[in-house]
Amino acid sequence: MIEMQKLSKHFEQAHPDIKLKWVTLEEGVLRQRVTTDIATKGGQFDVMTIGLYEAPIWGKKGWLQELKTDAAYDVDDLLPAVRSGLSVDGKLFAAPFYAESSMLMYRKDLADKVGVQVPERPTWPQIKDLAAKVHDPKNGVYGICLRGKPGWGDNMAFITTLVNTFGGQWFDMQWKPQLESKPWKDAIHFYVDLLKNYGPPGSSANSFNEILALTNAGKCGMWIDATIAASFVSDPKQSKVAEHMAFAQAPTMNTPKGANWLWSWNLAIPAGSKKVDAAQKFITWSTSKDYIQLVAKTNGWANVPTGTRKSTYAAPEFQKAARFAAAEKTAIDSANPNDSTLPKSPYVGVQFAAIPEFQAIGIAVGQQMSAALAGKTSVDAALKAGQVSAEREMKKGGYYK
C-alpha cells in the first residue's frame, strides 16, 4: 500500500482530471471506519481497502459496486481461488492488490543436522517429530513458533486451518457451532502441547511480527504462517538465517481440506460513492498487469505484489527473485473458500466464516484459545466457553432458535 501511494503519481499523470486523496489507518481502525461508512452509505470514501472476509458479505448485501473490467485488465489472469472469494454469483465486487496463503517455513540446516527430509506436504505428526528433534532452548532455538495472540484474524486464522485439517468446522449445516466436537478438541490439545513442549516462552502473546523477529534471529526451527513471510525470512538484509530457509506446504492431518488459509487485501467501491467512474479507473490501474510491471521496474521483482495474478508467477524474473514463488502459488491454488472443511459447511471462507457474526465469535474464541495456551484455563474449559459465546451470537443473529 505504501508503494502504491508512492507510485500513484503515475496514475494522476495519466488521468489529470482525477485527484487522489489518501487516508491511512491502522488495520483495526480501518475495519471500523469502512464498516460504519458502508453500512450507513456515508459516502466518505470512493475506494476502500477491504479483506476477503468482507467482500462476499458486502457484495451480497448490495453495499459494493460491481467491478466492470475491460479486456486489457484480463480478469481471467487473476488466480482462481482469489477471484472466486471476491465474487458473488459470478460478479466481481473487489479487485485484489495482494493475496496470500499460509505455508511451512523451516530451517533446512537444522533438519539436515538431525537427518530429517521434510516432504513437500508434511503431516502434523511429522512436524511434531521434527520440532522435538531440533528444539534446543539452551542454544536459543525453539522447535516451532506459531501464533498465540488472540484475534479472529490472528491466532484464529492459524487455529482454524489446524481444525479444518483435523476434520473440523466452525458450524454444521444447521449453523450450530461445533467447538466441542472431537476434531476441535484433538486439534487444540495438539496445538497447546506442541507449543508448550517445543515453542518459545510467551507464545500466547506472539503474532506475525513477534514470530518474524524470532525467525529472522534464527530462533525458530519452523514457522507456519502467511506466505508473505517467506519474502522476509529469505532476505539476507532482514534475516540472519536467510540462506538456510526452506519452504513447504502447510501440514495436514485427517484431510488436506482447509489446511492452508486464503486471504487477500482488495480495493472496492462502496455503493454510496458519487465518483464510481474515477474509482473504477484507479482500481483497474492499481491491480493491473501493467502496475506489477511498474513496481518491478521501480523497485525490482522481489517487491511486486504477490498472490494476485497467474502472469506474475509465470514471469521468469519473479521466479528468480522469489525462491518461494512455486510453493506460494501451490498453496494459494489449493485453497478453496467454497469447500474448506471435511464435513459440509454452510459458510464460505477457509480460516473464517463469511458471516457478520464471525468477527465477534472469532474474537471471543481467540481469547479462550490464548488463555488455554498460557495455562490460565484447560483446553476443554476454553472450548466450552467458546461454544457458549458462539451459540449466543448465532441465536442472536437468528440462525437458529
Side-chain angles (χ1 to χ4, degrees), residues 129 226 312 352 379:
D129 178 56
T312 304
F352 57 82
V379 168

Side-chain angles (χ1 to χ4, degrees), residues 288-357:
S288 66
K289 291 182 194 174
D290 286 350
Y291 175 78
I292 287 169
Q293 293 289 339
L294 174 67
V295 177
K297 204 173 77 189
T298 316
N299 304 324
W301 275 97
N303 299 299
V304 301
T306 52
T308 60
R309 287 182 169 273
K310 298 174 196 170
S311 52
T312 304
Y313 290 89
E317 305 93 332
F318 178 64
Q319 288 169 17
K320 202 175 145 205
R323 54 190 173 88
F324 54 85
E328 178 177 60
K329 184 172 186 292
T330 301
I332 293 173
D333 286 346
S334 71
N336 182 352
N338 297 302
D339 182 21
S340 61
T341 57
L342 191 56
K344 220 165 135 35
S345 292
Y347 54 88
V348 174
V350 183
Q351 78 284 18
F352 57 82
I355 56 170
E357 292 72 17

Side-chain angles (χ1 to χ4, degrees), residues 164-246:
N164 289 340
T165 195
F166 267 74
Q169 64 190 148
W170 273 99
F171 310 103
D172 68 10
M173 288 307 285
Q174 281 68 55
W175 289 105
K176 285 263 187 339
Q178 296 297 300
L179 282 102
E180 291 187 283
S181 62
K182 188 178 186 303
W184 268 90
K185 286 191 171 170
D186 291 349
I188 306 306
H189 276 290
F190 181 87
Y191 164 75
V192 169
D193 289 346
L194 184 66
L195 283 176
K196 242 182 217 161
N197 292 319
Y198 313 118
S203 280
S204 61
N206 283 351
S207 183
F208 180 91
N209 289 328
E210 290 80 8
I211 302 173
L212 177 61
L214 286 170
T215 304
N216 283 348
K219 292 179 189 296
C220 298
M222 278 176 282
W223 180 25
I224 292 119
D225 213 304
T227 49
I228 188 68
S231 60
F232 308 138
V233 300
S234 61
D235 175 2
K237 287 194 202 77
Q238 300 181 48
S239 169
K240 267 172 46 180
V241 288
E243 85 247 43
H244 299 306
M245 295 307 293

Side-chain angles (χ1 to χ4, degrees), residues 252-272:
T252 62
M253 188 69 188
N254 300 324
T255 173
K257 281 188 180 189
N260 46 294
W261 72 57
L262 184 67
W263 183 255
S264 63
W265 282 113
N266 319 280
L267 298 176
I269 307 170

